[in-house]
Amino acid sequence: MNTIEEITKYSKYLRLPGIKGNLKKIANEARESEMNYEEFLRTLLEEEYEIRKQNAIQSRIRTAKFPQRKYLEDLKEEYLPKDAQNKLEKLKTLEFIKTGQNIILSGNPGTGKSHIAISLGIKACVEGYKVLFFSVPTLITKLKESRSEKILRMFQSRLEKYDLIIVDELGYISFDKEGSELLFTSLSLRANNKSTIITTNLSFDRWEEVFKDPVLTAAMVDRLAHKAFMVNMNGSSFRIKETQDWLDSQGFS
């Protein structure tokens, strides 16, 4: 067994995929450029670091359970409502996660609420934050199941640990008293500590249509809106404009 084969064996045993996969290439480059030992070692470790970094990012994105992958780079900002255009650069910094602030994207359907929420979530994953995505019906179902299985507090404790939780489509489906109370309690545990992004088609004065309880609604609004970024997403349909662009590109205009 030659030296390269021995290093490859040790790399496999030590679970160093970057070194194992790139050893021969880097060794050849080192010979050709007369790289010294320190530079050779640094290059090997750099390859290992980059692979582990990318694997960790992909793992965080998978764990977040986004329904689809949407990126900030794909947003046509000129199609967004004016308030979103004005605030997006600030939100892209992810400073709201460091300060534990919420974002509430409120407006009519099709204006880019979910795209903004998911793309901020993916950027957060890339930058090392733990993120989790739920649609409102899915979250409430999970909370009810956890209660019936007597693991509700454990599930809520898990939710508290995420740097960012995205709760999508509040207002599209109403829910019962139990669901309202569970959602309120779970999101309240994160208030002023960890960030939550909520997308909704309803203004605050209509949240009672979903929660069915004026006292609970007022408490929910107070907790979630405190020091939050409120983004008015009322405007023309983002999806319709994107569809028209696609039709134009296909020569159907």
Side-chain angles (χ1 to χ4, degrees):
M1 185 180 291
N2 62 34
T3 304
I4 292 291
E5 289 172 339
E6 284 188 284
I7 296 174
T8 300
K9 180 187 73 172
Y10 295 140
S11 298
K12 182 178 180 180
Y13 180 79
L14 294 170
R15 297 180 182 178
L16 302 172
I19 292 177
K20 178 175 174 288
N22 294 283
L23 177 60
K24 288 184 179 180
K25 180 191 73 171
I26 295 172
N28 288 333
E29 290 174 355
R31 291 189 196 97
E32 291 172 4
S33 62
E34 297 183 349
M35 197 182 289
N36 63 37
Y37 295 127
E38 290 86 355
E39 290 171 334
F40 177 58
L41 179 59
R42 180 192 61 78
T43 304
L44 277 177
L45 293 176
E46 185 178 43
E47 289 287 339
E48 183 65 37
Y49 168 78
E50 286 300 327
I51 284 182
R52 291 194 177 209
K53 179 181 175 183
Q54 290 305 314
N55 287 344
I57 289 171
Q58 292 307 313
S59 177
R60 286 191 292 271
I61 290 174
R62 286 193 300 272
T63 300
K65 300 188 184 303
F66 298 113
Q68 51 202 331
R69 296 193 181 187
K70 293 180 177 290
Y71 301 92
L72 288 166
E73 294 77 15
D74 298 331
L75 267 175
K76 294 186 177 178
E77 296 184 26
E78 67 273 18
Y79 287 176
L80 295 173
K82 187 60 66 177
D83 195 40
Q85 292 182 37
N86 293 338
K87 293 175 179 175
L88 191 58
E89 286 305 312
K90 174 71 173 176
L91 301 181
K92 284 180 183 179
T93 67
L94 302 184
E95 188 67 27
F96 69 94
I97 298 179
K98 296 176 185 176
T99 55
Q101 292 175 273
N102 297 332
I103 298 175
I104 299 177
L105 299 155
S106 174
N108 52 289
T111 54
K113 298 186 296 295
S114 295
H115 191 142
I116 291 174
I118 292 171
S119 58
L120 287 173
I122 287 180
K123 181 176 173 63
C125 289
V126 170
E127 295 196 13
Y129 293 108
K130 292 177 62 180
V131 182
L132 196 57
F133 178 99
F134 287 105
S135 67
V136 169
T138 300
L139 177 55
I140 289 177
T141 298
K142 185 67 176 175
L143 289 167
K144 287 184 175 182
E145 289 174 351
S146 298
R147 171 178 273 181
S148 67
E149 295 168 7
K150 302 187 186 307
I151 57 169
L152 177 61
R153 189 65 196 103
M154 183 173 69
F155 179 63
Q156 289 175 326
S157 294
R158 177 181 158 223
L159 293 182
E160 288 181 68
K161 294 176 182 177
Y162 281 87
D163 301 298
L164 173 64
I165 286 182
I166 299 170
V167 181
D168 197 32
E169 298 185 340
L170 178 67
Y172 288 88
I173 299 174
S174 60
F175 30 86
D176 58 19
K177 188 172 186 293
E178 180 191 13
S180 298
E181 291 173 349
L182 286 170
L183 184 62
F184 170 73
T185 302
S186 300
L187 295 183
S188 293
L189 290 169
R190 295 177 53 81
N192 300 316
N193 184 33
K194 295 295 181 74
S195 297
T196 302
I197 297 178
I198 293 177
T199 73
T200 177
N201 63 325
L202 300 177
S203 56
F204 284 143
D205 60 354
R206 294 184 58 196
W207 278 27
E208 192 177 333
E209 297 173 19
V210 178
F211 291 102
K212 309 296 185 184
D213 182 329
V215 176
L216 187 64
T217 302
M220 177 71 90
V221 170
D222 181 65
R223 295 283 176 87
L224 295 179
H226 181 61
K227 296 182 180 179
F229 286 95
M230 314 296 297
V231 185
N232 183 347
M233 295 295 295
N234 284 311
S236 301
S237 175
F238 188 88
R239 284 194 289 269
I240 289 175
K241 290 176 180 176
E242 284 194 323
T243 300
Q244 186 59 54
D245 280 351
W246 181 83
L247 290 172
D248 292 345
S249 71
Q250 301 299 310
F252 292 121
S253 56

